[in-house]
Amino acid sequence: MKTGELLAKEGFISQDDIHKALLLQEKEQATSPLNKKRLFGMILCDLNLITPWDNYYVLHKYNRLQSIQSALVSKKILTREVVERSEKDAQQQNIPLISSLIDSGLVSTNEMHILLSDLFHIPFKSINNFIYDKKDIAVLIQTLDKQKSWENKSMPLVLKNNTILFGITDPENILFIRNLNDLFPQYRFKTVFISFSWFSKLHNELYESDRTTAPAKVPAPPARKKPLDLSLLLNFKTSIKDPEQDNDAIQTLYERYELIRQLIGNSKRVDLQNEFKEFVIQTHRNITQKYHNQIIEFSFKKENRDVKIIAFPKT
């Protein structure tokens, strides 16, 4: 099955969504016929029909992921022999392949940024001179403790409003962050790839622990997925300045809204993203015209078996 069919089978998109993505793909090819076709999942991400995490989850489940290794060879960035040797070096050093390739100079940071964006819709970032905001550290640590951060080579970096940016060092971390986000529905999670050297440095700073005392990686027993907490979902808020561009914020608001509806006893609905976005755009327009405030904060209010969307100018 093709990527679109697999995502539809898992309930992430509809056949209409596949049609939209195919039209965009054909338009891109007609405009730039010499460029290689983008991965279908990346087009769906651009259309805000799925998240990069959803795409990775489904392709991983059906063993359809294109790996960094195969992409490096197919794009003729490195030969297969060099990639295999780099994998062995990374394993011996116990660091992710991404960092091994950059540290050895085989792949530049710019090449890695393009590669990871093309494959996973998640960029690679150099985070020199990064300093944690001390007032946010307690919340960041609460979402991910020291041991799990080290075991999964992932860590929280920035808290802004209710959005937490996580740094990950390997594509496999995407599944971990996806599951982690389900445990904290009051937040929006975003991700960037970072080098392992910066992960190690920032891990020490965030958790105030020397790397040599960090726990060894041991297999953890499979954890049961906790049920979503309705009270946390009802605490969710997001600020929108430009609803025509803030697709990610609107999609997250829509997903939380539908989850609340289901948790209070309503049936699951699908394919209402477009109607929901139009509602947000119109609501934003009405409030900004009345109050002359460009940033509008959206939240939820439960009323029996109904849930209302509340919107106020953000002061």
Side-chain angles (χ1 to χ4, degrees):
M1 297 176 72
K2 295 182 178 180
T3 299
E5 293 170 338
L6 292 174
L7 287 161
K9 178 181 178 181
E10 292 292 319
F12 287 99
I13 59 173
S14 66
Q15 291 299 319
D16 285 343
D17 295 331
I18 294 176
H19 181 64
K20 291 176 189 175
L22 286 172
L23 288 176
L24 179 58
Q25 190 177 59
E26 290 174 4
K27 183 178 179 181
E28 289 181 352
Q29 284 298 110
T31 305
S32 304
L34 297 180
N35 290 345
K36 189 176 180 180
K37 278 187 179 180
R38 286 195 298 150
L39 294 176
F40 197 70
M42 302 302 96
I43 295 175
L44 291 168
C45 287
D46 280 342
L47 291 172
N48 206 41
L49 296 171
I50 61 170
T51 68
W53 307 341
D54 296 335
N55 181 69
Y56 189 95
Y57 163 77
V58 171
L59 295 183
H60 181 272
K61 178 177 179 179
Y62 290 95
N63 197 28
R64 291 292 304 277
L65 278 169
Q66 183 179 3
S67 67
I68 293 175
Q69 294 91 319
S70 63
L72 286 166
V73 175
S74 65
K75 292 177 181 291
K76 298 181 179 180
I77 298 174
L78 298 174
T79 65
R80 188 174 302 279
E81 292 75 16
V82 172
V83 170
E84 291 174 352
R85 188 165 62 248
S86 298
E87 282 188 279
K88 291 180 181 178
D89 291 342
Q91 291 172 0
Q92 290 175 353
Q93 298 175 63
N94 194 27
I95 64 174
L97 177 62
I98 293 172
S99 294
S100 178
L101 291 168
I102 292 174
D103 292 346
S104 63
L106 291 171
V107 179
S108 69
T109 54
N110 185 57
E111 285 176 319
M112 186 60 71
H113 167 80
I114 295 172
L115 182 67
L116 294 174
S117 295
D118 288 347
L119 290 178
F120 309 112
H121 214 272
I122 298 173
F124 177 87
K125 295 288 186 182
S126 297
I127 49 176
N128 299 325
N129 304 317
F130 179 87
I131 299 176
Y132 276 102
D133 192 327
K134 291 183 179 180
K135 67 179 176 59
D136 297 332
I137 287 179
V139 174
L140 296 178
I141 292 176
Q142 185 182 27
T143 60
L144 185 60
D145 64 37
K146 182 178 80 172
Q147 181 169 339
K148 288 183 179 179
S149 170
W150 187 261
E151 289 175 354
N152 293 279
K153 302 296 185 288
S154 307
M155 64 184 308
L157 298 172
V158 178
L159 171 66
K160 185 175 181 181
N161 297 324
N162 67 328
T163 299
I164 300 179
L165 177 68
F166 273 78
I168 61 177
T169 59
D170 189 90
E172 291 184 2
N173 303 146
I174 296 172
L175 293 179
F176 170 70
I177 297 297
R178 183 177 186 271
N179 293 332
L180 186 66
N181 193 204
D182 288 342
L183 300 178
F184 296 93
Q186 71 271 41
Y187 297 116
R188 292 169 58 204
F189 283 14
K190 292 187 176 182
T191 46
V192 294
F193 284 105
I194 61 174
S195 68
F196 180 72
S197 60
W198 274 101
F199 165 80
S200 301
K201 179 179 184 296
L202 295 176
H203 188 275
N204 294 342
E205 293 181 8
L206 178 62
Y207 297 103
E208 298 180 350
S209 169
D210 188 83
R211 182 185 170 196
T212 58
T213 65
K217 186 173 183 179
V218 295
R224 292 181 180 178
K225 192 172 181 179
K226 296 182 180 178
L228 290 173
D229 190 323
L230 179 60
S231 64
L232 294 179
L233 282 167
L234 289 170
N235 285 336
F236 180 83
K237 297 178 182 179
T238 190
S239 299
I240 296 176
K241 183 177 181 180
D242 183 357
E244 298 287 354
Q245 299 296 325
D246 293 345
N247 291 323
D248 184 56
I250 295 176
Q251 179 66 18
T252 304
L253 187 70
Y254 168 75
E255 291 171 355
R256 299 294 192 263
Y257 171 71
E258 288 297 329
L259 282 173
I260 293 173
R261 288 189 71 261
Q262 293 173 54
L263 287 175
I264 60 180
N266 295 288
S267 59
K268 183 178 180 180
R269 305 181 302 180
V270 295
D271 301 336
L272 294 176
Q273 288 96 328
N274 292 337
E275 291 87 343
F276 189 86
K277 182 174 181 179
E278 288 304 316
F279 161 76
V280 171
I281 291 173
Q282 187 60 50
T283 301
H284 189 281
R285 183 181 297 121
N286 293 341
I287 296 176
T288 53
Q289 288 176 352
K290 182 175 180 179
Y291 293 99
H292 307 290
N293 190 326
Q294 292 300 310
I295 302 178
I296 309 301
E297 185 174 81
F298 289 83
S299 58
F300 304 117
K301 181 180 180 182
K302 178 179 175 295
E303 293 184 357
N304 298 319
R305 286 191 59 181
D306 195 10
V307 54
K308 303 291 186 183
I309 297 177
I310 311 300
F312 287 106
K314 186 170 183 180
T315 56

